Amino acid sequence: YILRVWTPWLSKGALPSSRAFLDRMPQPDDWRFMELRFLQALYERRFDLAVDTTSPWADRWMRTWVLARPAVLLEAQAWRLAGDRRRAEAAFDASPSLLGVEVRTNPHDGGLRRSLGIAYAGLGRKADALREARRALELMPFATGFNTSVVREDVALIATMVGESDLAIRELQTLLSTPAHFSEQLLRLDPRWDPLRADARFQQLGRMVE
């Protein structure tokens, strides 16, 4: 199911085909399926729908061995993109206390560090956000590969959110030049990269894979 949705996004940026499949797909109580629906709504720029998708997960977590993220961080990003600053800040503010406890217990968990960085970026705490981004890069287990790509994508997102375009574009260049669960089509779809679109260096990124 997951690959059937991701493949149209990665290969062609084809939202109608992924939407058609999502609408037919079962809806198990699993964060990976919630995330698919969230991303589809985000790529369609239907931010209210993205929020609705995450609402049942407000007090739950998304976890793998490379990811540790309160689901409320997705809701916060959707509110931010929708331009609702008050709700976005409230959602971002819910994360540092949750993450802080776990980071103190597991200081070498890069997934926690990246999530904390996104929360700090959403709250405008630039220095704290960049510190966590740097720490996440230091904790990467490998130089390249899928598990590294999720780290670099989060670091690029943190940098974008706090206005550090140089760092964001450098990480995106690496993502597109090495094997990764990422593509030029995702750059075009995802509104989280909108702050970079006027930058000539960002506009050149697509040409790297032509």
Side-chain angles (χ1 to χ4, degrees):
Y1 286 119
I2 292 170
L3 290 175
R4 283 285 299 272
V5 177
W6 271 99
T7 299
W9 290 345
L10 288 166
S11 62
K12 298 180 180 178
L15 293 178
S17 56
S18 57
R19 167 58 67 188
F21 186 73
L22 275 170
D23 288 345
R24 299 193 308 270
M25 196 174 70
Q27 300 190 38
D29 186 33
D30 185 308
W31 69 261
R32 292 168 296 180
F33 289 77
M34 176 275 292
E35 186 186 37
L36 290 177
R37 291 184 169 84
F38 169 81
L39 290 172
Q40 177 76 28
L42 207 69
Y43 298 160
E44 293 171 339
R45 297 176 182 258
R46 299 167 66 187
F47 303 127
D48 289 347
L49 178 58
V51 168
D52 290 344
T53 300
T54 62
S55 292
W57 286 76
D59 59 349
R60 299 168 71 179
W61 284 72
M62 305 161 58
R63 292 186 188 269
T64 68
W65 79 278
V66 292
L67 178 70
R69 181 153 302 163
V72 71
L73 268 183
L74 300 186
E75 178 184 345
Q77 292 175 57
W79 283 126
R80 188 174 193 264
L81 291 165
D84 193 324
R85 182 175 178 178
R86 179 183 63 82
R87 285 175 169 166
E89 288 186 353
F92 278 120
D93 197 43
S95 295
S97 58
L98 292 171
L99 288 158
V101 173
E102 296 221 8
V103 167
R104 286 191 292 274
T105 304
N106 303 289
H108 302 297
D109 188 320
L112 291 170
R113 295 286 187 177
R114 294 181 343 252
S115 294
L116 188 55
I118 291 170
Y120 284 150
L123 293 169
R125 294 172 57 175
K126 181 175 181 177
D128 291 331
L130 291 175
R131 181 192 67 236
E132 298 302 330
R134 287 192 295 270
R135 186 66 180 128
L137 288 172
E138 292 167 358
L139 291 168
M140 284 195 308
F142 310 106
T144 60
F146 169 73
N147 294 322
T148 297
S149 71
V150 297
V151 178
R152 293 195 180 279
E153 184 176 357
D154 278 350
V155 170
L157 176 60
I158 292 166
T160 300
M161 292 172 70
V162 300
E164 286 292 326
S165 299
D166 290 350
L167 174 59
I169 290 172
R170 185 163 66 247
E171 294 302 323
L172 292 173
Q173 287 172 335
T174 301
L175 277 169
L176 288 172
S177 63
T178 58
H181 195 67
F182 200 74
S183 72
E184 175 195 359
Q185 286 72 26
L186 284 185
L187 282 181
R188 292 173 176 168
L189 289 176
D190 198 329
R192 290 174 291 190
W193 308 120
D194 284 358
L196 301 175
R197 296 195 192 281
D199 192 308
R201 295 170 299 171
F202 182 87
Q203 296 166 14
Q204 291 289 323
L205 288 176
R207 300 181 185 180
M208 294 174 57
V209 293
E210 287 180 354

